[in-house]
Amino acid sequence: MSLGYFLYLSLNLTLQGFFIITLGGKTDENKLKYHRILQRKARFVINHVPGTTFQYSNPSDETFDKPAVIISNHQSHLDLMAIMMLTPKLIILTKDWVWKNPFYGIIIRYADYFPVSETEEMASNIESMVRKGYSVMIFPEGTRSEDCRIRRFHRGAFFIAEKLNLDIIPVFIDGFGKVLPKKSKHLHPGKMTLEVLPRIKREEMAQYGDFRSVASAMHKTYVLKKNGL
């Protein structure tokens, strides 16, 4: 059932992208319209994963109105849907295989999610989208964690935050790797949680030093969070 819905969703979003963007034109208005559809679909999926419950927490009442670099730990393919729920004004940096995926690659391209390998073009595109009010989302671990532990953080997200003078919004997820583990093709019953942590402003990050120091500090924060500290 889940596989069937995934295929239906991929086809549905591809067709909507075709009518809204290909036929309607690549205007800012149409792009945002498509992003709003992605947000609604993502919210529906996460709240209706068979045999699971989902808990969302945003104690600091983050609105995502001001562009930022959003980071999150990475456990499952479902993580992306959970992040897409947060705001329609979001672009996500992906691996090449995601950008070229035969099922949903065209959706990724309609949404202006960029492959990380296209460094120079990606930087220019990101800056352009940030000026339009979009936030940038990156998984600093770079890949899904097989055992749900926090892996080493790469520095790209923090370099972008420093270069574009953006705040960082940390998002912590848990349980997603139990519901859909990295090496599993089946869903499992469980509880998924997503917590939006307080925004870290640029002036606060400056206290840590350069982007390398910020990456190290954020990794420690996630490890402590994962351990319940």
Side-chain angles (χ1 to χ4, degrees), residues 91-129:
I91 55 174
I92 300 173
L93 302 192
T94 71
K95 288 189 173 182
D96 282 11
W97 72 264
V98 175
W99 209 74
K100 298 174 182 177
N101 187 280
F103 294 107
Y104 51 80
I106 193 168
I107 299 170
I108 298 297
R109 294 192 287 276
Y110 275 139
D112 286 330
Y113 296 168
F114 306 123
V116 293
S117 64
E118 303 293 333
T119 309
E120 292 185 13
E121 183 179 356
M122 179 188 71
S124 175
N125 288 333
I126 288 175
E127 194 167 1
S128 173
M129 296 301 286

Side-chain angles (χ1 to χ4, degrees), residues 21 27 58 71 73 87 119 136 143 149 163 210 223 225:
I21 297 174
T27 65
N58 186 2
I71 62 171
N73 55 315
T87 172
T119 309
V136 184
T143 188
R149 288 188 294 182
K163 183 176 181 180
D210 66 5
V223 170
K225 184 73 176 175

Side-chain angles (χ1 to χ4, degrees), residues 18-146:
F18 175 77
F19 285 108
I20 294 171
I21 297 174
T22 301
L23 296 184
K26 297 181 180 181
T27 65
D28 291 345
E29 182 180 357
N30 283 343
K31 287 285 187 179
L32 182 56
K33 181 178 181 180
Y34 190 65
H35 276 255
R36 293 190 189 282
I37 292 172
L38 290 176
Q39 183 187 30
R40 290 196 299 270
K41 296 288 187 182
R43 183 182 295 118
F44 179 86
V45 169
I46 292 299
N47 283 287
H48 293 85
V49 177
T52 69
T53 58
F54 175 67
Q55 180 179 335
Y56 174 73
S57 174
N58 186 2
S60 59
D61 295 322
E62 176 59 54
T63 63
F64 301 96
D65 289 338
K66 181 182 177 183
V69 172
I70 300 172
I71 62 171
S72 173
N73 55 315
H74 200 8
Q75 298 182 353
S76 165
H77 279 308
L78 293 170
D79 302 348
L80 192 61
M81 286 284 187
I83 299 297
M84 287 164 60
M85 292 173 50
L86 299 176
T87 172
K89 286 202 163 186
L90 181 70
I91 55 174
I92 300 173
L93 302 192
T94 71
K95 288 189 173 182
D96 282 11
W97 72 264
V98 175
W99 209 74
K100 298 174 182 177
N101 187 280
F103 294 107
Y104 51 80
I106 193 168
I107 299 170
I108 298 297
R109 294 192 287 276
Y110 275 139
D112 286 330
Y113 296 168
F114 306 123
V116 293
S117 64
E118 303 293 333
T119 309
E120 292 185 13
E121 183 179 356
M122 179 188 71
S124 175
N125 288 333
I126 288 175
E127 194 167 1
S128 173
M129 296 301 286
V130 167
R131 286 197 298 267
K132 296 175 184 178
Y134 283 75
S135 290
V136 184
M137 195 280 148
I138 306 175
F139 292 109
E141 292 168 287
T143 188
R144 291 163 289 153
S145 174
E146 292 184 17

